[in-house]
Amino acid sequence: MTGTALLALLSLATIGGAHALSKARWPWRAPRIGIALWQALGLSWGTATIGALLGLALLPYRRGVAGGLPGLFADQAGRLDTLHVVALLAAVGLTVVLLAMLMGAVVRVVRARRRHRAVLALVSRRDSAVPGTLVLDHPGAAAYCVPGVRSSKVVVSAGTLALLDADELAAVLAHERAHARERHDLVLLPFTSLRQVFPQIRLVGRCLDAVELLIEMAADDRARRHRSPRELATALLRFAAARPAAAPRGALGVATADDIPVMARVNRLLEPKPVRRSARLAAAVAIPAIAVLPVLLYALPH
């Protein structure tokens, strides 16, 4: 089978894999593995789809993607007919759109964070009860992290201070600091930009939802290294009952008013189910293979 056909099959396989993974519950046991698998699938889909289109465009040269590109640039005979030209334009167009939307998402997030930091400088205050944290004098429940390259800001509202006891508050702050330390905002950016490219495709929205939930679970796991899981679980339930507003753009909040993800997080905090070592080893092999395979197929001839 030719490299182009294999790339096309791989592109379809990653879509099927994303559909299955968006409904799976086993990644909840090991959210970091789930996040890495989502990243590998996304990267594999992009490189495989672009490679399949390039392979179709370069069929007349019969050297595969990597071997056909030099022939395309040196071609003086104009071997490409309409179909091949359309495929080439589609490959270039998809590449440009994906990169442009990713860069656009980065710019929008950076601007939103800059504006929000400026607002925080005007309306927030320090409180000795929560050192290293900014407090907003707002009665509603709110707790979120504004990530940054040099420093990150953890923000809570006065309503949160009244809602939670000291132990629950400490667990929430540990969760938000985990977001900042692991730069979960960078994990989300490619999936956010992909939804902007394909806003009408439900699978893309489900992928983003799944990654967002895994990120929250990963932050929960890091927070419970320092705090009791029950403290964080109780805080999540209190937050859900208080119906918190969504975190500002570019920020990562501890909880939303959506009951299903919250209960999933609470249940795994109270009843953790460890992942078998064999499954971790399998993931350690499968994830890099999924990410690298399309690039290797670029070298196959037609």
Side-chain angles (χ1 to χ4, degrees), residues 18 30-31 37 54 61-62 81-82 85 91 120 124 130 182 187 197 199 223 225 238 243 255 273 281 284 287 294:
L37 183 55
L54 281 175
Y61 304 100
R62 300 189 179 280
D81 58 19
T82 302
V85 170
L120 289 174
S124 66
V130 280
E182 298 188 6
V187 176
V197 176
R225 296 180 188 176
R238 290 185 186 274
R243 297 293 170 181
K273 298 179 180 179
L281 291 175
I287 290 170

Side-chain angles (χ1 to χ4, degrees), residues 63-87:
R63 295 181 180 178
V65 176
L69 285 173
L72 174 66
F73 292 120
D75 187 12
Q76 302 295 325
R79 301 186 196 179
L80 302 186
D81 58 19
T82 302
L83 174 63
H84 300 131
V85 170
V86 170

Side-chain angles (χ1 to χ4, degrees), residues 14 49 108 126 132 187 195 253:
T14 57
T49 303
R108 285 190 292 273
R126 300 283 181 175
V187 176
R195 186 174 64 176

